[in-house]
Structures are given as structure tokens and as C-alpha cells.
Amino acid sequence: MKRRDRGYNFRYSLIEARRKEGLTQRQVAERIFCSPQSISQAERGKLYLNDDSEASKAFFMALENLYGIPREILRKRGR
């Protein structure tokens, strides 16, 4: 069964988004005021959007704004 394209690929990764912007993990971390380790963990799927945590909301909202990726894609990203 073929998955419908909704404008964004559900496997659109944070790594691809960062590379599309021409940024390193360190540069992203500096722009959104977090550690490069947090960026690395998010890209590897070790850090997920957790609607209960204000810190998590803020982190992923900053990535959403920086990369221009809708929150739904960040929430549903696959590995």
C-alpha cells in the first residue's frame, strides 16, 4: 500500500532539514540556545516531542521555526 504524499515526506529528517539550511549541529544549537548534544539526540530519534513538557515544546518549536517544518512532521518523523 502506497502512502499518500501530503506535501512533506513523513520520513523527512531533522538531519536533512539542517543540511538543507547549510548548518552544523553546533550552529543550530547556538541559534536556538541549546546544546549540540540535544540536536544530535533529536536527529538520532533519542529525543521526542513530548506535549507535557514546556521545555520539549520550546525546543521543537524552535526547530520548527528554524527549519520551516510543521510540528506534525516533527511529531511523526520516522527512523
Side-chain angles (χ1 to χ4, degrees), residues 20-69:
K20 181 180 173 189
E21 295 295 322
L23 300 170
T24 65
Q25 288 180 346
R26 182 173 302 281
Q27 290 169 324
V28 171
E30 289 171 357
R31 287 186 183 196
I32 66 169
F33 307 104
C34 72
S35 71
Q37 292 82 5
S38 294
I39 303 301
S40 176
Q41 287 178 341
E43 288 181 353
R44 290 182 293 140
K46 303 286 183 183
L47 190 63
Y48 298 101
L49 179 60
N50 177 353
D51 290 335
D52 296 333
S53 165
E54 290 299 320
S56 178
K57 285 181 189 178
F59 175 77
F60 281 100
M61 187 177 295
L63 288 178
E64 176 184 5
N65 291 334
L66 180 63
Y67 297 147
I69 299 174

Side-chain angles (χ1 to χ4, degrees), residues 14-23 67:
L14 293 175
I15 296 170
E16 291 169 354
R18 177 176 53 79
R19 288 180 178 164
K20 181 180 173 189
E21 295 295 322
L23 300 170
Y67 297 147

